[in-house]
Amino acid sequence: MIDAPALLEIRGLTKAFGGALALDGVDLTVLSGEVHGLLGENGSGKSTLIKILAGYHDPDAGTLSVRGEPVDLPLAPGVYRHLGFEFVHQDLGLVSSLSVVENLFMAEIADPKNSAFFSWRQATRQARRIFERYGQSIEPRALIEEIRPVERAMVAIIRALEGLSSVDESLRGHTLLVLDEPTVFLPRHEVNLLFDFIRNIADSGSSVLFVSHDLDEVQRITDRITVLRDGRVAGTVVTRETSPRELVRLIIGRDLADFAGADLAPGSGQRVVMRVRNLTTQWLNDVSFDLHEGEVLGLTGLVGSGFEDVPYAIYGAIPASGGTATVDGEDLNIPAITPSRALEHRIALVPGDRPRNGSVATLSAGDNINMPVLHRYFRGMRLVRRELNRNAAQLMEEFDVRPPRPDFEYGSFSGGNQQKAMMAKWHQVEPRVLLLHEPTQGVDVGARQQIFNIISAASSKTATICASSDYEQLTAICNRVAVIAQGRIAGFLSGDELTKEHIADFCLRSSISPTVTPAESDNAVAAS
């Protein structure tokens, strides 16, 4: 592989925004037939580099060669397709208000040469054949906003793969697929399917630039890895010769201390803050559990098990058909809960999909942070903007949001800093119960530990529920983990059982035959 010719060569790539260097003389070589990982903390320059290749940003300096031929920079929009490049961006690049088939054939629809001959009926049939070939059953006529996140991700990935298959004959086997965090919304079996596609592309002689925060995935699928830190190349390594600890050291510039969560044994006398009984939704059936003071309770299971519904149902963000929640002795009818009523009872939710459900990207960071507490800053009929900005600035400093600028547009911050801003937003209301869904999704390894520390520090005042499919994360921050299978709690793991391997094994076994019956589940709740 190391002796293979270069498909892509970047030299001295530099880009500044407002005087701050996002890329500072970056060199990158992607060989023909390799899967090349691109790692780095949020804000390290990965997305800027990718957007330069896509023609979205103009570099200030640097050269580009493709298959040994120099290519003029900057690239005009759309030129990347003529070079044999395809992209799946972190935001997927889909238009939510359009249908699946419109998104899948967007390039063909936009081409004026096709406007008189484009057949929607034929395109819909072709979309079904394409999805069938990739093992998917996505409805082509559905709107993107109506389908599940995992299906949206697969539409974007399949569109890119189909784009590679339709390039000029002379480029076949010499193309580049750029995947920016492609697995964020994918369950394990879909990740395996994607990795099969990636390997087939590399085996054909083409190349893949794979960007991810998941070190396990990067080590599993890549041949070599380039790490960016503060806009510069920290190193390029051969994957199989490099340990995860060495990668972490390259990414953050130091060793990462082991994180140890709080020690809390179920039934050890802590006061019950929330008691949930018989929670029922479209995917859940009579789920019951107790949440103790100072506890971080994890919820997990296989995709489709329903574990993700729990925080949203308790918060009133999705409909529930039954169930009660008793918070500090006050009974709440879960089907009647609304987000505003949940907040009145000091229940806060940090959703997994920040851009769609947790923030407004075009507003400032300060406006996003201050949303739950605007009422505190009215003087008569007037909103005191100076005090709002002061509050947001203090919280951004406290939660290490970089840069600590409330006036900056929220969408311009990196994923890790966006999430820290969301944690600051909800911790200022001093929630009694904090509901988290995939709290470190799309977050780099350094910010990930900061968020772990935020959750751990808050547990002295807040009882926390964390729904996640990231087993390693659950073992790091949770005192107990409830495994949900077929809509019911199959059982709890704690103490020595709370390992990544035990969680994975329990989820798989429970999906075949739930470990406990409803009666036994009630006993487990009583014991908890």
Side-chain angles (χ1 to χ4, degrees), residues 45-75:
K46 305 186 303 297
S47 292
T48 301
L49 186 152
I50 289 168
K51 287 178 179 177
I52 288 173
L53 291 178
Y56 185 83
H57 287 322
D58 295 348
D60 298 325
T63 62
L64 171 67
S65 296
V66 180
R67 292 177 290 276
E69 297 293 327
V71 175
D72 289 337
L73 290 174
L75 295 178

Side-chain angles (χ1 to χ4, degrees), residues 209-463:
L209 186 60
F210 185 84
V211 184
S212 177
H213 290 308
D214 191 317
L215 297 188
D216 287 342
E217 289 182 355
V218 170
Q219 291 212 293
R220 177 180 158 199
I221 193 61
T222 64
D223 302 298
R224 294 190 305 143
I225 299 167
T226 293
V227 177
L228 297 184
R229 187 169 71 243
D230 298 327
R232 299 176 179 175
V233 174
T236 296
V237 297
V238 176
T239 305
R240 66 175 180 272
E241 298 173 358
T242 310
S243 70
R245 186 170 289 275
E246 289 170 320
L247 282 177
V248 168
R249 193 181 301 119
L250 283 173
I251 292 168
I252 66 175
R254 55 182 170 79
D255 285 320
L256 190 62
D258 293 331
F259 178 86
D263 182 22
L264 178 79
S268 59
Q270 285 81 2
R271 190 167 69 87
V272 173
V273 173
M274 173 183 279
R275 194 183 305 275
V276 173
R277 291 293 180 267
N278 309 116
L279 172 58
T280 301
T281 69
Q282 181 182 4
W283 302 107
L284 296 173
N285 187 14
D286 287 335
V287 167
S288 300
F289 60 86
D290 289 344
L291 179 65
H292 299 85
E293 192 166 39
E295 179 180 25
V296 180
L297 173 65
L299 299 172
T300 195
L302 300 183
V303 171
S305 64
F307 76 90
E308 308 102 321
D309 275 12
V310 175
Y312 296 95
I314 293 172
Y315 192 69
I318 64 169
S321 56
T324 60
T326 304
V327 182
D328 285 335
E330 185 172 354
D331 292 335
L332 303 174
N333 179 26
I334 292 178
I337 290 178
T338 62
S340 59
R341 191 162 176 228
L343 281 174
E344 289 173 7
H345 290 85
R346 295 171 61 197
I347 301 172
L349 169 70
V350 180
D353 192 345
R354 282 188 306 274
R356 291 172 61 87
N357 302 323
S359 61
V360 182
T362 54
L363 291 180
S364 69
D367 286 343
N368 274 277
I369 289 171
N370 284 320
M371 277 182 189
V373 295
L374 286 176
H375 61 279
R376 299 178 185 174
Y377 297 95
F378 274 99
R379 302 294 179 264
M381 298 293 291
R382 190 170 65 90
L383 190 62
V384 184
R385 175 64 65 174
R386 184 181 300 171
E387 292 184 19
L388 278 170
N389 288 337
R390 187 182 302 122
N391 177 63
Q394 288 174 349
L395 286 167
M396 293 176 82
E397 287 281 0
E398 181 183 345
F399 284 80
D400 194 30
V401 181
R402 304 176 191 174
R405 292 289 302 273
D407 56 318
F408 278 21
E409 190 175 275
Y410 178 79
S412 68
F413 286 81
S414 65
N417 284 301
Q418 287 182 11
Q419 187 68 339
K420 285 186 284 184
M422 286 300 98
M423 299 297 283
K425 168 184 175 178
W426 290 115
H427 276 292
Q428 69 180 320
V429 304
E430 298 182 342
R432 199 70 187 93
V433 176
L434 180 63
L435 306 169
L436 305 173
H437 180 214
E438 304 291 2
T440 59
Q441 186 166 262
V443 168
D444 66 72
V445 66
R448 180 183 173 95
Q449 187 173 29
Q450 286 183 299
I451 291 168
F452 287 175
N453 291 334
I454 291 169
I455 295 169
S456 180
S459 66
S460 61
K461 300 178 181 178
T462 301

